[in-house]
Amino acid sequence: WQLTAIGKLLKVVDRHLWDYFEQMDGLNFFFCFRWILVRFKREFEYPDILTLWEVLWTCPFADNGLDYHLWMCVYLLHSKRSTIVNEEMKNDDLLKYMNDLSGKLNVTELICNTNALHEAYRDT
C-alpha cells in the first residue's frame, strides 16, 4: 500500500514525473522500496538517521508519523525529476540511481523541503 500511496501523492505533486513513470512502466515504485523498508537508514550516517527518525515518529501532520516517510519519498523523486527524465532512466537505472544517493543526502534539507512540500499540497 505504501508504494501505491507514493504514486498517488506524486500524481498530485508532480504530474509530469508521474506521467514519465507511467510511460516507462515504473508506477510500481520498486526503486523506493528500500527507503520504505528501512526508513532511510542506509541513506544517512547514524546521528542524522536518529534526527530523521525522531521527526518520523513525532511529525504533527502525519498519522502517528506513518505517512511522513512517504512525503519524503515524493520530495526526493520530485527533486530528482530533471535527472531522471533527462537521462531517460528506466526501472534498473532508477534503482541504481536511488541506491547511489546513499550518503549524499542532507537530512536537514530533506526534512525542511518535505515540510514545505506537504504545506504546499496539504489541502489537495
Side-chain angles (χ1 to χ4, degrees):
W1 71 269
Q2 294 179 69
L3 296 173
T4 302
I6 289 170
K8 289 178 182 178
L9 286 172
L10 186 65
K11 191 173 186 178
V12 171
V13 170
D14 192 338
R15 181 59 188 249
H16 177 73
L17 185 58
W18 189 91
D19 287 342
Y20 174 78
F21 288 146
E22 181 180 43
Q23 172 192 344
M24 52 78 75
D25 197 26
L27 291 179
N28 56 31
F29 294 95
F30 288 156
F31 43 86
C32 298
F33 184 72
R34 183 174 91 171
W35 295 341
I36 293 170
L37 184 65
V38 295
R39 297 294 196 269
F40 296 95
K41 181 180 178 188
R42 294 183 181 162
E43 312 331 303
F44 298 101
E45 296 293 327
Y46 186 72
D48 288 340
I49 199 60
L50 291 179
T51 300
L52 183 118
W53 284 352
E54 183 175 350
V55 170
L56 288 178
W57 296 327
T58 61
C59 178
F61 69 72
D63 179 19
N64 296 320
L66 295 178
D67 65 352
Y68 189 83
H69 68 290
L70 302 178
W71 280 96
M72 287 182 165
C73 293
V74 170
Y75 163 73
L76 284 172
L77 293 172
H78 177 67
S79 71
K80 304 300 181 189
R81 173 176 47 142
S82 294
T83 302
I84 293 167
V85 174
N86 291 341
E87 294 184 18
E88 299 179 357
M89 292 184 185
K90 305 295 183 225
N91 283 314
D92 290 345
D93 303 320
L94 282 164
L95 183 59
K96 182 179 180 340
Y97 179 69
M98 297 308 169
N99 287 343
D100 288 347
L101 292 176
S102 181
K104 298 176 185 170
L105 300 172
N106 179 299
V107 71
T108 303
E109 181 181 304
L110 176 61
I111 292 167
C112 290
N113 288 326
T114 298
N115 289 343
L117 184 70
H118 178 268
E119 184 68 25
Y121 290 95
R122 70 177 173 188
D123 296 326
T124 58

